[in-house]
C-alpha cells in the first residue's frame, strides 16, 4: 500500500505522543523532517529524521526564532497538488512537497500563568513560525494533513495505516481546529498586550474563550448551552472549580454558584450565602461556617429550599450536618473536610464544588450581550472605604449599627436592582430584589423578613429618589440606612431620616446590578 503522504514535518513543543506517532509514520515509509529539540528527541529515540536546516540550506538563528520561515518550508506546504504550474515552480526551486504537518505552539498561556509579571519570558513564548506553518497547511488542507493536537495523532495514524490517506472530511475538520487554535492563540496575546499596556477598551476586542463543557441545556430546556472560560482570568472561580460529586451542573446552577461565590469572597470572616435566581435568599457571617450557615438560613428558610450555597471557608462536619436536612442544588467551598464530604455525599445528586482558597480577581471586564453587539465595562469593585462613609443625619450610627450597615452595603452589591437589604448585625433579615421602584423594594424586603425587621439597618444599592422609601423603612422599624446619595431630593430624604430618628450614611458610590 502506497501512502499519499510521503513527507511529514514534525516540530512540537509538547512531546506527548510524539515518538509513537513518528514511528508509525516511518513504518509507512514516510520521510520525517524536524527542527531543534524535536529532531533531537526523535534521534535519541532511534527514529530517522532530517533537520529542516538541511532542506532550507539555512541554519537556525536568533535562538531558534528563525528556522522555518523559508520558501522551502512554506512552498512545500502551500503548493496546490493538482495545479501543474504550482508543481512546476516548486520543482524549479528544488522544493519538496510536505504532505503532513504536526505542530503545537509555544506555551504562551501556560507561561502567562506560571510566570506572571515576567514580561520578557512571556513575550518570548509568542510563537511565530508555528502559527505561520499551521495556517499554510490548514489553508491547503486538501493537500496537507495538519495536526495541532497530540490527541489527534492516533486517529490520523490509524487512517494512514488503513487506507494510506486521510479522508477529506477529516482533513477539513483538522484544518478548522487549526484556525480556531491560531485565532485563540493570537487573541490571548492581543488581550495580554492590551490589558498590560493601557487597560483601556481596544478598538477590536478579542475574547479567547475556551470551552470547558457542554451543558444539558441553557436557562430553559429548549436552549442549547456550553461553559467557556477566559484563560486570562486568574484566581479561584466556579468555572475552574473541581466537581467532587453530584449531577451534571446546569446553566442556571453555574450562574447561581458564581453569584454565591462572588458574595462570600467579599468577606474576610467566615461567610455563607444562600442564592436563588442569582439573588441572596440569605447571607451572613459567623464565627464558624456552621454558624454563618444557620444565620443565613434563618433570613429566609422558605426560599432557601432548592438553593445554592457557598462558603469562603472549608466546610467541616458541623456545617455539613446543618445542611443535611435541607434540599439544596449545590454547595461550593474552598474545600470539604473528609467527614463533611461523607455526610453530604450521602445525597448523590447534590453537587459539591471545591474552588480552592477564596479570593476575588483583580480588575477584569464584565460582558453583557445585547442584540447585535456586546456591552463591556470594568468589573464592579467595592473600592470605597467604610471609614469614608459620610454621616448626613443629625444622629450618627452606633458602632453596632455601623458594622451592620457595612455588612448590608456589601451584600446589596450582589442583589439585582432596584435592591435593598435589611440586616440585623452581620446577617441579612430581608432582601428586596429586582423591583421597578425603590419604595417597593423596601416593602418587599420587609415582607420577606422571616422575623419582624424592627431594629434592623437597611442598605440601598442606589439613592432614594423620594422620601417614601425612608418612610416605609421607618414603618418597618429600621434604625439606620446606608445609601450612595446623589438624588436631587437628598435634602428631603435626609430630613425624613431625621424626623424618624434614623442615622444615615452616604457612600458616594452606587452598585447597580441589572
Amino acid at each position: 500500500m502506497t501512502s499519499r503522504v510521503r513527507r511529514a514535518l514534525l516540530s512540537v513543543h509538547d512531546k506527548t505522543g510524539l515518538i509513537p506517532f513518528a514511528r508509525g509514520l516511518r513504518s509507512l515509509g514516510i520521510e520525517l523532517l524536524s527542527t531543534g529539540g524535536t529532531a533531537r528527541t526523535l534521534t535519541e529515540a532511534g527514529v530517522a529524521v532530517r533537520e529542516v536546516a538541511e532542506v532550507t540550506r539555512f541554519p537556525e538563528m536568533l535562538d531558534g526564532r528563525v528556522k522555518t520561515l523559508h520558501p522551502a518550508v512554506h512552498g512545500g506546504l502551500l503548493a496546490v497538488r493538482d495545479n501543474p504550474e504550482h508543481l512546476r515552480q516548486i520543482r524549479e526551486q528544488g522544493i519538496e512537497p510536505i504532505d503532513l504537518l504536526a505542530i503545537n505552539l509555544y506555551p504562551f498561556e501556560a507561561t502567562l500563568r506560571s510566570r506572571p509579571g515576567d514580561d520578557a519570558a512571556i513575550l518570548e513564548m509568542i510563537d511565530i513560525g508555528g502559527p505561520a506553518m499551521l495556517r499554510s497547511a490548514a489553508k491547503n488542507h486538501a493537500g496537507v494533513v495538519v495536526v495541532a493536537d497530540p490527541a489527534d495523532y492516533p486517529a490520523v495514524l490509524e487512517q494512514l495505516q488503513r487506507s494510506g490517506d486521510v479522508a477529506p472530511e477529516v482533513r477539513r475538520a483538522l484544518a478548522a481546529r487549526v484556525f480556531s487554535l491560531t485565532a485563540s492563540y493570537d487573541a490571548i496575546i492581543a488581550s495580554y498586550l492590551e490589558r498590560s499596556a493601557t487597560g483601556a477598551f481596544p478598538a477590536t476586542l478579542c475574547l479567547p474563550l475556551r470551552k470547558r463543557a457542554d451543558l444539558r441545556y441553557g436557562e430553559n430546556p429548549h436552549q442549547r448551552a456550553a461553559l467557556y472560560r477566559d484563560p486570562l482570568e486568574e484566581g479561584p472561580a466556579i468555572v475552574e472549580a473541581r466537581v467532587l460529586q453530584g449531577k451534571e451542573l446546569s446553566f442556571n446552577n453555574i450562574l447561581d454558584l458564581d453569584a454565591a461565590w462572588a458574595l462570600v469572597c467579599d468577606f474576610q470572616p467566615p461567610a455563607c450565602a444562600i442564592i436563588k435566581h442569582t439573588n441572596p435568599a440569605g447571607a451572613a457571617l459567623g464565627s464558624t461556617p456552621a454558624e454563618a450557615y444557620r444565620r443565613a438560613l434563618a433570613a429566609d428558610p422558605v426560599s432557601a429550599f432548592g438553593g445554592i450555597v457557598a462558603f469562603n471557608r472549608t466546610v467541616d462536619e458541623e456545617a455539613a450536618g446543618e445542611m443535611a436536612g435541607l434540599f439544596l442544588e449545590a454547595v461550593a467551598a474552598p474545600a470539604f473536610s473528609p467527614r463533611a464530604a461523607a455526610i453530604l455525599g450521602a445525597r448523590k445528586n447534590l453537587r459539591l464544588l471545591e474552588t480552592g482558597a477564596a479570593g476575588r480577581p483583580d480588575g477584569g471586564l464584565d460582558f453583557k450581550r445585547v442584540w447585535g453587539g456586546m456591552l463591556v465595562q470594568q468589573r464592579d469593585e467595592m473600592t470605597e472605604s467604610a471609614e469614608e462613609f459620610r454621616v448626613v443625619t443629625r444622629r450618627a450610627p452606633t458602632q453596632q449599627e455601623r458594622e451592620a450597615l457595612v455588612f448590608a452595603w456589601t451584600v446589596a452589591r450582589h442583589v439585582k436592582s432596584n435592591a435593598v437589604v435589611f440586616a440585623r448585625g452581620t446577617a441579612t433579615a430581608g432582601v428586596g430584589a429586582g423591583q421597578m421602584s425603590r419604595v417597593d423594594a423596601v416593602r418587599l424586603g420587609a415582607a420577606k423578613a422571616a422575623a419582624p425587621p424592627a431594629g434592623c439597618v437597611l442598605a440601598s444599592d442606589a439613592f432614594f429618589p423620594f422620601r417614601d422609601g425612608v418612610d416605609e423603612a421607618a414603618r418597618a422599624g429600621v434604625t439606620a440606612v446606608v445609601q450612595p446619595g446623589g438624588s436631587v431630593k437628598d435634602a428631603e430624604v435626609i430630613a425624613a431620616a431625621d424626623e424618624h430618628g434614623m442615622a444615615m450614611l452616604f457612600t458616594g458610590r452606587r452598585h447597580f446590578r441589572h
Side-chain angles (χ1 to χ4, degrees):
M1 179 183 64
T2 301
S3 173
R4 184 182 170 191
V5 175
R6 297 182 177 86
R7 187 173 294 103
L9 195 164
L10 313 179
S11 180
V12 295
H13 191 279
D14 178 2
K15 306 298 192 293
T16 302
L18 172 66
I19 301 304
F21 185 53
R23 284 177 174 154
L25 295 176
R26 286 294 300 135
S27 71
L28 296 172
I30 297 170
E31 180 186 13
L32 301 184
L33 311 177
S34 194
T35 62
T38 305
R40 286 192 296 274
T41 298
L42 293 173
T43 299
E44 290 169 1
V47 180
V49 62
R50 287 177 65 195
E51 286 268 6
V52 166
E54 294 180 32
V55 175
T56 63
R57 296 182 293 278
F58 204 91
E60 291 188 17
M61 60 186 295
L62 306 181
D63 298 318
R65 286 186 169 200
V66 176
K67 51 191 172 188
T68 58
L69 298 171
H70 194 281
V73 173
H74 288 274
L77 293 171
L78 283 166
V80 176
R81 302 313 196 253
D82 58 1
N83 185 320
E85 183 60 22
H86 281 200
L87 299 180
R88 181 190 66 77
Q89 290 179 28
I90 64 171
R91 187 166 55 249
E92 286 182 356
Q93 299 301 322
I95 296 173
E96 300 170 320
I98 297 171
D99 307 309
L100 185 148
L101 178 74
I103 296 278
N104 53 63
L105 305 179
Y106 291 171
F108 181 87
E109 181 183 337
T111 305
L112 192 62
R113 289 177 176 270
S114 64
R115 304 180 68 172
D118 190 344
D119 194 58
I122 293 168
L123 293 179
E124 195 58 37
M125 286 298 107
I126 298 177
D127 201 329
I128 303 301
M133 287 189 289
L134 284 173
R135 290 174 62 85
S136 291
K139 175 176 180 175
N140 196 30
H141 61 270
V144 184
V145 180
V146 57
V147 189
D149 186 343
D152 291 322
Y153 293 166
V156 169
L157 189 58
E158 190 273 334
Q159 287 217 354
L160 290 171
Q161 291 168 338
R162 187 178 70 246
S163 66
D165 200 359
V166 175
E169 63 273 15
V170 176
R171 288 171 174 261
R172 193 173 187 87
L174 291 169
R177 288 181 216 171
V178 162
F179 283 114
S180 178
L181 169 67
T182 57
S184 173
Y185 192 80
D186 286 342
I188 293 170
I189 295 168
S191 296
Y192 168 73
L193 294 175
E194 286 283 1
R195 295 181 193 185
S196 61
T198 63
F201 299 100
T204 299
L205 181 62
C206 300
L207 295 179
L209 304 180
R210 299 280 178 79
K211 188 162 78 170
R212 284 296 302 269
D214 288 306
L215 304 176
R216 287 181 297 162
Y217 52 82
E219 285 182 286
N220 301 290
H222 62 275
Q223 295 172 267
R224 297 176 62 189
L227 173 65
Y228 288 78
R229 72 172 180 88
D230 181 349
L232 294 181
E233 189 78 31
E234 297 180 0
I238 293 301
V239 72
E240 296 283 8
R242 188 162 69 101
V243 180
L244 303 182
Q245 71 154 56
K247 293 192 301 183
E248 180 184 352
L249 288 167
S250 72
F251 185 98
N252 293 335
N253 289 155
I254 293 168
L255 281 177
D256 286 341
L257 282 161
D258 185 68
W261 181 244
L263 197 161
V264 297
C265 283
D266 263 355
F267 293 102
Q268 291 300 319
C272 174
I274 304 173
I275 297 294
K276 288 293 289 290
H277 304 291
T278 72
N279 281 305
L285 307 184
S287 59
T288 65
E291 183 188 17
Y293 172 76
R294 285 192 295 267
R295 300 182 74 211
L297 179 63
D300 190 351
V302 174
S303 296
F305 181 85
I308 298 286
V309 181
F311 296 87
N312 64 354
R313 292 287 195 281
T314 296
V315 171
D316 56 16
E317 180 178 355
E318 183 186 9
E322 292 285 345
M323 288 185 282
L326 179 66
F327 168 66
L328 298 170
E329 289 282 356
V331 181
F336 295 82
S337 74
R339 183 60 187 148
I343 292 171
L344 297 172
R347 296 161 59 185
K348 301 302 182 185
N349 288 334
L350 176 63
R351 304 150 175 101
L352 300 184
L353 283 81
E354 189 174 78
T355 60
R360 294 190 61 80
D362 294 328
L365 298 177
D366 180 48
F367 305 92
K368 295 187 187 295
R369 188 76 168 91
V370 295
W371 280 13
M374 186 87 74
L375 288 168
V376 183
Q377 62 180 350
Q378 292 176 320
R379 183 181 281 116
D380 180 32
E381 302 288 349
M382 199 175 80
T383 57
E384 62 272 22
S385 169
E387 287 73 29
E388 297 171 353
F389 291 179
R390 184 163 58 94
V391 179
V392 294
T393 46
R394 290 194 293 267
R395 183 174 79 80
T398 65
Q399 183 59 36
Q400 188 177 25
E401 286 174 329
R402 179 176 280 273
E403 290 175 2
L405 288 167
V406 171
F407 169 81
W409 177 248
T410 304
V411 174
R413 194 168 70 85
H414 299 273
V415 180
K416 290 286 185 71
S417 301
N418 285 323
V420 301
V421 172
F422 288 76
R424 181 173 283 106
T426 53
T428 57
V431 177
Q435 298 307 296
M436 285 65 75
S437 70
R438 198 153 297 275
V439 66
D440 283 338
V442 176
R443 292 181 182 127
L444 177 61
K448 289 289 290 179
C456 286
V457 303
L458 181 144
S460 173
D461 66 342
F463 62 65
F464 287 94
F466 305 101
R467 66 170 288 163
D468 55 359
V470 175
D471 293 334
E472 197 66 38
R475 276 191 285 274
V478 167
T479 64
V481 173
V482 61
Q483 58 136 323
S487 167
V488 295
K489 300 281 190 178
D490 272 351
E492 180 181 310
V493 170
I494 294 168
D498 282 331
E499 287 176 25
H500 297 300
M502 288 179 175
M504 182 174 286
L505 297 179
F506 276 12
T507 67
R509 173 173 291 190
R510 80 176 189 198
H511 289 288
F512 266 158
R513 183 165 170 251
H514 274 54

